Amino acid sequence: MNWTSVGIFGLAATLVVGAVVTGERVITRQDRTDRVTVIYWEKWTGSEGEEMRKVVNAFNESQDRIFVKYLSISGIDSKTRLAIAGGNPPDVAGIWGDQVVQFADANALTDLTELANDKGLDENYYIPAYWDGYVYKDKVWALPSTPAAIALHARPDLLPPEVATPETFPKTFEALDALVEKISVQGPNGSLKLAGFLPSNPGWWNWAWGYYFGGQLITGDKVTIDTPENLRAFRWIAKYTKKFGSQEVQSFQGGFGNFASPQDPFMSGKVAAEQNGVWKANYINVYKPGLEWFAVPMPYPADRPDLKGRSNLSQDVLCIPRGAKHVKEAFEFLSFVQKQDVMEGLCSAHGKNSPLAKVSEKFFDTHPNKYIRLFDQLARSPGAFNIPKVGVFPQISNEMNVAFQEVNSEQKTPERALADAQQRAEIIWSTYRKQVLAQ
Amino acid sequence: MKKDLRIGLLFALPWILGFIIFLAYPVLASLYYSFTNFSILREPSYVGADNYAELASDTVFHKALINTLIYAVGAVPLSTVVAIGLAMLLNTKVKGMSYYRTIFFLPSLVPMVALGTLFLWIFNGDYGLLNEGIRAANLEPPNWLGDPAWSKSTLMLISMWGCGQAMVIYLAGLQNVPVSLYEAADLDGAKLGKKIWNVTLPMLSPVILFNVVMGIIGALQVFAVPYVMFPGGAPARSTYFIASYLFDNAFQYQRMGYASAVGWVMFIITLVLTLLALKMSDRHVHYETE
Amino acid sequence: MGKRKQIQTALTHVALILLSVVFALPLLWMLSTSLKPISETLTTPPKWIPTEVMWSNYPDAINYNSKQLGYIPFLVYMRNTVVVTILCIVGSVTSNALVAYSFSRLRWAGRDAFFGLTVATMMIPFPVLMVPTFTLFRYLGWVGSFKPLWVPAFFASAFSIFLLRQFFRTIPMELSEAAKLDGCSEFRIFTDVIVPLAKPALMVVALFTFMGSWNDFLGPLIYLVDQNTFTLALGLSAYQTQHGGTPWNLLMAATLLVILPILIVFFFAQKLFIQGIATSGFK
């Protein structure tokens, strides 16, 4: 026998065994033996993740039967889907509220209706617009972790004094446009230095513009993208590109720093007003403390005062995937998070508003966002709206993003972009109804 | 004879199994799935040729297909020319050849993700190194990442930068060209250009064919760099490729059946293009062993 | 040397120098950025030499734990990548050697046809295989573990089989025949005659497998779930999260660290690497 061969073979075998064992160790669920282990996957990292960890720790300390294990997962939606498909899902998943319907349609969630009713977590406990995001086809599929509302943020130092307060800032789109004309600064070669406002910033809610002009994406059973109201919204978007010049807008956008940094366009003074969420205050406090700013409701078209006070809502929610090993225990954790003091503590730390119908004065007084009352008001107003409740929202949102980009870069006219998006969405929606909902 | 067969198959067993489990089964299974609606959370349900019919009228798929073809048509010739050019330069036995060779080869070792991240940094419209350089030359730099007209070019440039592996193959091929042929050409009074056209390229043609075919196959599957640099195919789906659409359908929209159909169309296109290349090569490629 | 030759050589030099600058530039820029303090990463015009060489960026990138981005366990990612890569290398070298032996040193009916088929499979685009392979691993319950990343390596691959077969064919049959006369079994011939002679080619297969596994992005993207199980290629994207001002200097440092092992291996095994690629190009 060739000894070097034996030596090499032995080494290889040892390596393999060692590697496999190490690999397996990394993967295990690592369940505790003394308590029921609930695996909780959440999308948050950084300080937001830390705050949720605190809640988890509080829950673990408050009783001794259940231990919640918090794991930070990137790409939480697709990973959760794959885990459910793989038969090994987490017990609690922190997905986005926008995905509840899609998951429910795909039979990926555990029905929480009975459990929620038992604990009194019903439509009276929550703000109606938020509650709407947990219910689909008369069943409860998720409960909130932190909700949010959107408003227009402005920097008084970049505004002429006559409009530099919440009371005097433009209320209609027309007035906003006029202001932008006045204060935007372009260099001699056309390059943008200061944009009063840019619809493409931050560009996270391109599906919602039509709603501010009275349109809707889905009405009843039909796709209603190509409608006069949505067209009006997109024409308004196109106006901004025309005003500044497509090249200039693109270069300008290209230089925007990350939103969680001092190079954020609002914080670095590249834009004077910005559509953003209730959490913005937190980021300003961290990256540009001392910055003067205020928040007002998003504008409305001057001829449609009925659209005053609109705000698109979003939520982070907690759900229990289908096939979770410890449903009862997982729900105990969920209801712990729903307690008023816990929920308010978490939302306040995240700089967001609370989804509960009842809210304490302490919440308002100690909240890091000095305009929290405004956001709370917006969430309770009849003008608050959610995403359309269809399982194909991710695809439709994509189509609206593309339509927005096409109009913003002058690749298509608003009419063409919306017509194409309408056509695409109709196909997506009808295929979905045929293939998924019929099952 | 029987014993030989047994031993032969025994040694080849890992591949036989691998072939069945990881190639034959998936290919057939994906063909089956392409005729179903398969959300992975439920059992596949048969839908006949609906997926293919949908593909035929799917404007996003068409866009992805066109994007992919444009990219292939741009990236493959570009990389080929650059790789051959570099190889020819290196073949001149200049001093320090091994250093140059290393520098040209190095970028192809970098993982796709790192490439994507690095170039996000370099191609940034505002503070990226490239545009700073262009501005320094008093030219108006394009917005590589944000302008739909330029995004694909960005990807093509990146692919050219990673042509080190092909270059090395060409270099080896060049070194196999018999010097006698060049000497004969010199006797005929041929200039450099004629020598390249009549001696170098024909002798190199089998290698060119191999690299072009591999290049086409690779270009049609482009995924990782666009995924990292241009999420969602932004801007305006200009960098959305077939592989991206397949991935999104499989893992974002829960439509694995549809994704399989996309995969098969991709497969057929790859086959067709490869066969085309091989057919065309009959006339242009010169094999020494004929 | 004739005048014309001199000009040609000079031009060649110029061209080579310019091109090598173009090729080396991005990597040099990566190095430069990795040594800058964060404030200098976004300056216009760009600075090449940082005012303060921040070697600390490297340990900082490894021990990344910030309020903004959270905890990125670089060393954990490295351990995971090493585990998977070792398994892939061992599996790949053994299985490919065995199979290539069969295709080159053994005679059996249908051998060449099967080999032709093997080469043809290199044409199958990976996306076609992606979905069914995923469902297969799901059925086995392996999603979320490392197994989908290394088990296939033990079943050989067309490219490596091709490479090794070409090489094995260059070893004279007389050696095998002599061993057979000595009463060796085929397996003994394989281990005692062929493998020692084929060390360079086996090294090349090991190198390619190393590169492929170290850089693999799609596999981990699909199969790995818990952030603590990520490999380096996948983990790099964590630095670039939407939730933090991207720390470009640390990201470049981390990227360089990820590339470093490959660079080191390449540096020492250059000739082997290039020889291996060159021989694989011939049909």
Side-chain angles (χ1 to χ4, degrees), chain A residues 132-211:
Chain A
D132 194 45
Y134 322 133
V135 177
Y136 175 62
K137 294 214 166 108
D138 293 324
K139 300 205 179 96
V140 178
W141 297 104
L143 287 177
S145 48
T146 58
I150 304 296
L152 195 58
H153 295 64
R155 285 183 56 155
D157 58 325
L158 298 173
L159 302 170
E162 61 268 19
V163 291
T165 69
E167 296 75 24
T168 53
F169 192 80
K171 298 193 170 37
T172 63
F173 278 113
E174 287 78 1
L176 179 65
D177 292 348
L179 177 63
V180 171
E181 277 279 4
K182 200 160 132 185
I183 65 174
S184 300
V185 175
Q186 283 183 275
N189 54 348
S191 68
L192 266 173
K193 300 265 178 293
L194 166 71
F197 177 80
L198 266 185
S200 54
N201 172 48
W204 296 332
W205 305 288
N206 290 327
W207 61 271
W209 288 114
Y211 285 73

Side-chain angles (χ1 to χ4, degrees), chain A residues 78 81 84-85 102 105-108 247 250-251 254-255 322 395 398-399 402 405 411 424 431 434-435 439, chain B residues 37 40-42 45 50-51 54 58-60 124 126 143 146-148 234-237 251-255:
Chain A
S78 59
R81 241 183 260 123
I84 299 174
Q102 185 199 32
D105 273 345
N107 198 20
Q247 276 285 70
Q250 275 170 36
S251 296
R322 179 170 62 89
Q395 279 136 296
N398 264 351
E399 294 303 325
V402 173
Q405 284 163 4
Q411 284 219 309
R424 283 279 309 150
T431 315
K434 200 162 72 160
Q435 291 182 347
Q439 284 192 332
Chain B
N37 168 43
I40 222 194
L41 292 167
R42 287 198 166 101
S45 63
D50 279 3
N51 287 335
E54 198 186 325
D58 185 344
T59 47
V60 175
N124 183 291
D126 224 45
N143 187 348
D147 192 341
R237 287 216 180 103
F251 297 106
Q252 300 286 5
Y253 308 148
Q254 299 168 189
R255 302 190 68 196

Side-chain angles (χ1 to χ4, degrees), chain A residues 41 47-48 72 85 258-259 287, chain C residues 68 138 225 227 242-244:
Chain A
W41 286 1
S47 56
E48 288 173 331
S72 186
N258 194 286
F259 69 87
Y287 294 104
Chain C
Q68 292 97 301
R138 172 187 70 130
V225 173
Q227 215 141 334
Q242 316 103 305
H243 258 270

Side-chain angles (χ1 to χ4, degrees), chain C residues 17-228:
Chain C
I17 293 180
L18 281 178
L19 286 170
S20 44
V21 167
V22 169
F23 270 74
L25 210 63
L27 287 176
L28 288 176
W29 182 240
M30 198 193 273
L31 182 63
S32 155
T33 308
S34 73
L35 291 171
K36 289 184 188 154
I38 182 79
S39 51
E40 294 190 358
T41 51
L42 290 174
T43 54
T44 46
K47 262 175 125 102
W48 275 92
I49 318 271
T51 42
E52 198 197 321
V53 175
M54 309 261 301
W55 295 106
S56 59
N57 280 347
Y58 282 84
D60 280 347
I62 295 181
N63 295 318
Y64 197 69
N65 196 345
S66 85
K67 276 254 145 234
Q68 292 97 301
L69 276 185
Y71 167 63
I72 295 181
F74 188 88
L75 290 175
V76 170
Y77 296 157
M78 176 158 273
R79 175 203 64 193
N80 297 338
T81 316
V82 167
V83 163
V84 172
T85 304
I86 288 181
L87 287 170
C88 282
I89 294 180
V90 172
S92 163
V93 172
T94 32
S95 62
N96 284 309
L98 286 169
V99 176
Y101 185 76
S102 171
F103 277 127
S104 58
R105 317 286 301 175
L106 299 175
R107 297 208 124 78
W108 44 280
R111 180 190 73 171
D112 289 338
F114 191 31
F115 182 67
L117 181 61
T118 302
V119 172
T121 63
M122 289 204 267
M123 239 191 339
I124 301 180
F126 174 69
V128 172
L129 311 171
M130 200 163 67
V131 170
T133 317
F134 176 78
T135 50
L136 173 66
F137 286 127
R138 172 187 70 130
Y139 176 73
L140 290 169
W142 288 0
V143 175
S145 79
F146 292 129
K147 295 201 205 60
L149 301 178
W150 59 261
V151 169
F154 280 80
F155 290 88
S157 81
F159 182 74
S160 305
I161 295 175
F162 180 60
L163 203 127
L164 285 180
R165 177 217 189 232
Q166 302 299 86
F167 189 88
F168 285 1
R169 271 167 63 137
T170 63
I171 300 176
M173 278 312 268
E174 289 84 30
L175 290 173
S176 295
E177 276 152 26
K180 242 194 278 226
L181 287 177
D182 279 350
C184 284
S185 69
E186 283 293 355
F187 191 69
R188 275 290 289 282
I189 303 178
F190 173 68
T191 53
D192 296 356
V193 177
I194 304 296
V195 166
L197 285 176
K199 281 212 276 278
L202 293 176
M203 287 285 322
V204 173
V205 169
L207 283 173
F208 275 133
T209 312
F210 168 64
M211 257 175 60
S213 172
W214 193 262
N215 288 347
D216 185 18
F217 176 66
L218 195 54
L221 180 68
I222 301 177
Y223 293 113
L224 295 179
V225 173
D226 182 352
Q227 215 141 334
N228 279 324

